[in-house]
């Protein structure tokens, strides 16, 4: 009998245990961050269960409202947003919340206030809900700048100031990927235990990948460097094999694959959307934070994504993220185009 393997199977590293272990490395910590994370984890479990039951419960369908971006809201979006807002406020550890679904930032009432700001997209990839494709929740956590009255400036900080970021993917399994600033770890929900178990410790993205991921339907409106890069992926001139194209159209799923298999995920700007589509605070920043923590890079077409300083809570930015070498290649094309202009 393989006792070692057996011991491994019975010694489960739950996300709670993992976060408490991390906390113990900071003796000054009062556990506020762990409490906040446990409320986020609860939100993810709830949404996972709702997503799994959606077809049965007839939760799918339009709720008859439109969100800030003028998109039709689905019932699951509304439900997920409610769950996260309530879970975050009841943690007693938050002061400002920015959600993709709410036009204005939510300032938590003083009696329930804590020192953290949370930016999140409760259900990203919502156009995929009705066909059962993977969707997810994305979140990032900031600390208030000083302990003054909270203002929007507390959330309009560069992504580099994030303390933690993560996503939960509701797919063939429910996977939560988290970074608290020292590497990236992945946890899979064991439905029989109702616990997220560490299944992907210390995720490192391959230095170079074989996949590119972009909505090629927008190609006619792309700028020069993006078009050149995709051409290189398909018709490499250095004797290497062409890259494969994979595009789900659900950011969490596309980024998750990129993180595990390597390659590049892009949502560039184009003539119709000069700032791209994806939102800085709760899509670009958390995913860029995770990419860098896993050894990859993230670039906006002009600069390192995490150095952006957003001026508005729902601001958008073009994004190119993934394997270090692949992002390096597209950076070179953008810099060369910039030099030509000067
Ligand atoms: P969705 O519109 O379905 O909510 O930002 C939202 C997002 O999905 C991302 O998850 C996804 O990467 C992107 O939009 C897909 O956009 P396109 O349909 O334009 O490719």
């Amino acid at each position: 009998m393989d006792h070692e393997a057996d011991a491994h199977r019975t010694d489960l590293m739950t996300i709670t245990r993992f976060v408490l272990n991390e906390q113990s490395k900071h003796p000054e910590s009062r556990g506020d961050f762990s409490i906040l994370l446990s409320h986020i984890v609860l939100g993810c479990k709830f949404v996972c269960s709702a997503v799994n039951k959606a077809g049965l419960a007839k939760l799918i369908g339009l709720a008859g409202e439109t969100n800030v971006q003028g998109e039709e809201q689905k019932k699951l979006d509304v439900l997920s947003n409610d769950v996260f807002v309530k879970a975050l406020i009841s943690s007693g550890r938050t002061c400002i919340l920015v959600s993709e679904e709410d036009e204005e930032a939510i300032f938590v009432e003083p009696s329930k206030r804590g020192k953290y700001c949370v930016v999140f997209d409760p259900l990203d990839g919502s156009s995929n809900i009705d066909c059962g494709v993977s969707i997810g929740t994305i979140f990032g956590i900031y600390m208030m700048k000083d302990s003054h009255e909270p203002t929007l400036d507390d959330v309009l900080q560069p992504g580099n100031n994030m303390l933690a970021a993560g996503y939960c993917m509701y797919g063939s399994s429910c996977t939560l990927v988290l970074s608290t600033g020292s590497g990236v770890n992945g946890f899979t929900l064991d439905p029989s235990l109702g616990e997220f178990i560490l299944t992907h410790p210390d995720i490192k993205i391959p230095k170079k990948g074989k996949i590119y991921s972009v909505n090629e339907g927008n190609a006619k409106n792309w700028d020069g460097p993006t078009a050149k890069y995709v051409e290189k992926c398909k018709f490499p001139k250095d004797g290497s094999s062409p890259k494969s194209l994979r595009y789900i159209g659900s950011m969490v799923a596309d980024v998750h694959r990129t993180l595990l298999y390597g390659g590049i995920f892009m949502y560039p700007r184009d003539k119709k959307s000069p700032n791209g589509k994806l939102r800085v605070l709760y899509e670009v920043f958390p995913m860029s934070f995770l990419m860098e923590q896993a050894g990859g890079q993230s670039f906006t077409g002009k600069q390192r994504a995490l150095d952006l300083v957003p001026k508005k809570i729902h601001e958008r930015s073009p994004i190119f993220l993934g394997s270090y070498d692949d992002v390096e290649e597209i950076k070179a094309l953008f810099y060369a185009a910039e030099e030509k202009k000067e």
Side-chain angles (χ1 to χ4, degrees):
M1 195 174 165
D2 187 346
H3 289 290
E4 208 180 352
D6 227 20
H8 198 69
R9 272 195 295 276
T10 51
D11 189 19
L12 302 175
M13 177 62 83
T14 65
I15 194 162
T16 314
R17 182 175 157 196
F18 181 88
V19 169
L20 288 173
N21 278 356
E22 290 290 299
Q23 185 191 312
S24 65
K25 292 179 194 157
H26 307 274
E28 73 291 352
S29 160
R30 299 200 345 254
D32 290 329
F33 191 72
S34 306
I35 291 172
L36 173 62
L37 273 175
S38 71
H39 281 73
I40 292 177
V41 167
L42 176 67
C44 294
K45 284 183 192 169
F46 186 98
V47 175
C48 176
S49 151
V51 167
N52 288 339
K53 285 190 291 210
L56 289 171
K58 291 207 189 305
L59 277 165
I60 289 178
L62 303 182
E65 295 170 37
T66 50
N67 68 9
V68 198
Q69 278 78 31
E71 297 157 341
E72 284 171 328
Q73 269 189 14
K74 312 270 173 155
K75 279 189 177 163
L76 270 178
D77 300 35
V78 180
L79 183 70
S80 309
N81 193 42
D82 285 357
V83 166
F84 274 100
V85 168
K86 284 179 184 145
L88 290 166
I89 293 178
S90 67
S91 74
R93 301 301 184 278
T94 57
C95 59
I96 307 181
L97 310 177
V98 171
S99 163
E100 201 249 3
E101 297 292 337
D102 293 311
E103 188 162 2
E104 307 289 343
I106 298 171
F107 288 80
V108 177
E109 63 178 84
S111 65
K112 294 183 179 156
R113 227 172 246 174
K115 59 187 174 192
Y116 297 107
C117 308
V118 182
V119 291
F120 60 103
D121 186 345
L123 204 57
D124 190 75
S126 48
S127 62
N128 290 297
I129 294 174
D130 289 357
C131 59
V133 166
S134 299
I135 44 185
T137 298
I138 311 174
F139 60 90
I141 303 174
Y142 287 108
M143 173 88 84
M144 272 178 76
K145 278 182 171 169
D146 329 277
S147 37
H148 55 266
E149 269 299 290
T151 70
L152 271 191
D153 278 350
D154 288 308
V155 277
L156 296 176
Q157 301 191 52
N160 210 24
N161 291 359
M162 274 184 175
L163 296 180
Y167 60 79
C168 186
M169 186 177 70
Y170 313 111
S172 53
S173 56
C174 179
T175 309
L176 199 154
V177 174
L178 174 71
S179 175
T180 53
S182 49
V184 179
N185 291 281
F187 304 82
T188 304
L189 184 66
D190 180 333
S192 60
L193 296 174
E195 291 275 10
F196 280 101
I197 309 293
L198 180 65
T199 46
H200 298 71
D202 197 18
I203 298 172
K204 293 280 176 250
I205 183 168
K207 192 152 181 289
K208 193 170 175 55
K210 297 184 178 131
I211 298 172
Y212 72 104
S213 184
V214 66
N215 184 344
E216 283 219 58
N218 297 329
K220 94 173 164 71
N221 292 320
W222 284 345
D223 55 21
T226 307
K228 253 193 208 152
Y229 180 76
V230 171
E231 186 72 5
K232 266 181 95 179
C233 291
K234 297 199 259 195
F235 304 100
K237 294 208 174 87
D238 59 0
S240 60
S241 305
K243 289 188 192 294
S244 291
L245 167 65
R246 297 281 183 274
Y247 188 69
I248 298 166
S250 179
M251 189 188 196
V252 175
D254 280 315
V255 169
H256 188 63
R257 183 202 54 246
T258 306
L259 196 61
L260 296 188
Y261 295 174
I264 188 163
F265 168 80
M266 313 179 250
Y267 209 110
R269 71 190 178 119
D270 60 42
K271 282 184 206 135
K272 274 170 49 196
S273 320
N275 295 319
K277 177 179 184 191
L278 302 178
R279 270 58 65 118
V280 172
L281 272 183
Y282 39 80
E283 291 182 311
V284 169
F285 278 172
M287 294 312 203
S288 301
F289 188 92
L290 290 165
M291 275 300 155
E292 286 200 4
Q293 286 292 323
Q297 296 198 66
S298 182
F299 179 63
T300 64
K302 286 197 175 122
Q303 62 180 133
R304 176 184 176 227
L306 291 179
D307 286 339
L308 273 178
V309 186
K311 294 193 181 60
K312 288 187 289 186
I313 59 171
H314 295 294
E315 194 167 306
R316 299 169 196 261
S317 167
I319 188 71
F320 304 86
L321 55 77
S323 292
Y324 193 94
D325 288 357
D326 295 325
V327 178
E328 207 56 22
E329 241 180 78
I330 198 154
K331 272 163 87 175
L333 292 171
F334 271 100
Y335 291 147
E338 230 10 76
E339 262 175 34
K340 240 182 170 178
K341 268 197 235 159
E342 281 160 12

